[in-house]
Amino acid sequence: MKYLEEIYCANLNNHCYVGGFFAPGIDTVWERTDLRSVRNKFYYITKGQCRIKIAGKMYHAVAGDWFYIPCGTVHAYSRTEGCVLEKYWIHFDLYPNLFGLLNLPYKVNAENNQKVLQLFQEFTEASTGNLLTDRLTVKAKVFELLSEYIKLANPQGIHIRDQNDERLEKLLEYINDNLDKNITNDELAGIVPMHLNAFGRYFKEKVGDPPAKYIFAKKMEKVKKLLEESNMPISDIMEKIGIHDASHFCKMFKAYYGMSPKRYREYYRHREECPPPDRI
């Protein structure tokens, strides 16, 4: 499923609405039932105890427990009588809803995990600021926390899955295996199979770009990799992406990367001596 993971990560974005640190007094009521949030939630318990119910399952949460509550999931929470409670919390949206495609557990253990604690602390500090840098930091910390949660949830067994992943994976694999050809929308639509107009909308919705733009980008990536990792003549590299006009090929590469293929190969092999181009 490597092609799907590449696509989803390339188009991934998040928006965080609220979050921070919560430490209610011992007599403060903290209890809600039958909630259904329109956003994803993180709860990270750092001290004390509480009860959290997610999708019908009750968890007796203690320090180190980190909960992920997907948007739309029925949940509830309440304090454990006579116990202190301290936790970090975040409400966020994720586009596309990557977590919804991963079948992640609702809870992982992050006890004594200093990196997770530091990320929540840095998120909380940035979330109180009004600068552009604060907003960028908030977005970055949410991504880092997503990554850490996946790591703690056994990343080896987690892969992106959705109802259309098999046909999308088939399309992306076909493109990757046929970059030396002139791949048309008609050809791709026949693989799925789908009506041509419906296919164009489907591909752009899933990948983020029209088929032609995606295919061109993959061809340029392949050329760049061959220039970096091989001594293959540029004429042979052209054939790997189905281009036979050297002048046209050079113009395409230069428009995309800001320098000719020959200049790029020289730059890559002696990059410590040459200033990097603007678009590499």
Side-chain angles (χ1 to χ4, degrees):
M1 305 301 287
K2 63 179 181 179
Y3 303 109
L4 281 181
E5 292 176 1
E6 176 182 313
I7 290 300
Y8 277 108
C9 289
N11 293 283
L12 196 60
N13 193 15
N14 77 71
H15 182 74
C16 179
Y17 291 86
V18 286
F21 181 71
F22 180 67
I26 196 69
D27 297 323
T28 301
V29 176
W30 185 67
E31 183 174 359
R32 291 289 300 275
T33 59
D34 297 325
L35 291 172
R36 190 187 295 270
S37 176
V38 297
R39 301 183 177 97
N40 303 294
K41 293 184 177 182
F42 273 153
Y43 289 163
Y44 178 48
I45 313 302
T46 57
K47 187 175 182 180
Q49 302 177 29
C50 66
R51 292 182 291 269
I52 299 177
K53 188 177 182 180
I54 308 174
K57 182 176 180 179
M58 181 65 74
Y59 298 88
H60 294 278
V62 297
D65 285 344
W66 183 4
F67 292 89
Y68 156 61
I69 306 174
C71 60
T73 304
V74 176
H75 61 287
Y77 55 76
S78 60
R79 298 186 60 147
T80 301
E81 292 78 4
C83 292
V84 298
L85 173 64
E86 294 183 2
K87 74 181 184 74
Y88 287 95
W89 60 285
I90 300 175
H91 294 185
F92 63 95
D93 282 338
L94 196 62
Y95 311 100
N97 189 11
L98 182 66
F99 265 31
L101 303 174
L102 294 179
N103 194 30
L104 292 168
Y106 294 131
K107 186 189 82 166
V108 297
N109 185 270
E111 186 178 8
N112 299 321
N113 191 314
Q114 293 302 309
K115 183 174 182 179
V116 170
L117 179 60
Q118 182 178 349
L119 287 172
F120 272 106
Q121 290 171 340
E122 291 172 348
F123 166 87
T124 299
E125 181 180 356
S127 66
T128 63
N130 297 314
L131 300 175
L132 173 60
T133 53
D134 295 320
R135 293 195 290 273
L136 293 173
T137 297
V138 164
K139 186 179 288 287
K141 296 308 169 185
V142 170
F143 275 132
E144 289 187 75
L145 286 165
L146 292 171
S147 177
E148 290 304 313
Y149 196 95
I150 293 171
K151 288 179 184 177
L152 292 171
N154 181 24
Q156 299 303 318
I158 293 174
H159 302 284
I160 294 172
R161 287 280 181 183
D162 72 12
Q163 60 183 355
N164 294 318
D165 64 359
E166 290 186 4
R167 63 180 180 178
L168 180 58
E169 182 75 5
K170 187 176 180 180
L171 284 167
L172 300 182
E173 186 172 4
Y174 180 84
I175 290 170
N176 194 69
D177 291 342
N178 292 276
L179 291 175
D180 60 330
K181 299 179 176 64
N182 179 28
I183 305 171
T184 66
N185 283 7
D186 282 323
E187 186 178 353
L188 294 174
I191 292 172
V192 180
M194 293 177 71
H195 186 276
L196 185 59
N197 291 337
F199 168 75
R201 292 191 297 270
Y202 164 79
F203 193 94
K204 190 173 189 305
E205 177 185 345
K206 288 292 183 180
V207 176
D209 287 319
K213 185 175 181 181
Y214 174 80
I215 293 169
F216 180 74
K218 297 303 293 183
K219 286 176 182 273
M220 291 298 96
E221 288 174 15
K222 183 169 185 176
V223 169
K224 179 173 174 286
K225 185 175 182 180
L226 289 171
L227 288 171
E228 293 173 352
E229 299 179 0
S230 77
N231 293 316
M232 186 181 295
I234 291 177
S235 59
D236 291 348
I237 293 177
M238 289 167 45
E239 294 183 4
K240 294 291 184 181
I241 62 165
I243 301 295
H244 305 287
D245 185 323
S247 177
H248 178 57
F249 172 74
C250 289
K251 288 179 181 178
M252 287 170 51
F253 189 89
K254 188 172 184 178
Y256 199 81
Y257 285 114
M259 58 172 63
S260 69
K262 181 180 178 181
R263 176 72 181 89
Y264 178 78
R265 177 172 268 171
E266 292 173 351
Y267 154 73
Y268 182 80
R269 294 183 177 178
H270 306 284
R271 54 192 180 279
E272 291 184 358
E273 304 169 13
C274 305
D278 292 340
R279 298 173 60 186
I280 296 296

